Amino acid sequence: MFTCKNCGSTDTDASRLCAPDFEVTPKKHCGTSANEVCDGHKPVMKFTCDACGSLSAHPDNLCSPRETH
């Protein structure tokens, strides 16, 4: 993943950004809907993103993580 220095947008293709930072940033799972998580993996998804509702087993994979209960 690359991040735009101007607006913070991310893309896997640096040429699609107006001012790409060529240091590769870690991929976040934000933007992946809960419907795309395999049913067998949903029980381990203990965190949700407050910004977009994505799920993750680890908080550092999300932009704005919140632990689910």
Side-chain angles (χ1 to χ4, degrees):
M1 282 301 240
F2 298 94
T3 303
C4 178
K5 294 181 208 177
N6 292 344
C7 66
S9 294
T10 58
D11 200 293
T12 55
D13 181 359
S15 68
R16 297 183 60 150
L17 302 171
C18 51
D21 182 349
F22 287 97
E23 288 189 32
V24 177
T25 55
K27 183 178 179 183
K28 300 283 185 178
H29 294 286
C30 285
T32 303
S33 86
N35 295 335
E36 294 180 40
V37 177
C38 298
D39 287 337
H41 293 277
K42 286 184 181 181
V44 299
M45 300 297 161
K46 304 292 182 190
F47 297 89
T48 186
C49 180
D50 280 337
C52 67
S54 295
L55 299 176
S56 179
H58 303 285
D60 40 333
N61 291 333
L62 302 170
C63 296
S64 184
R66 178 176 45 88
E67 191 166 5
T68 59
H69 299 284

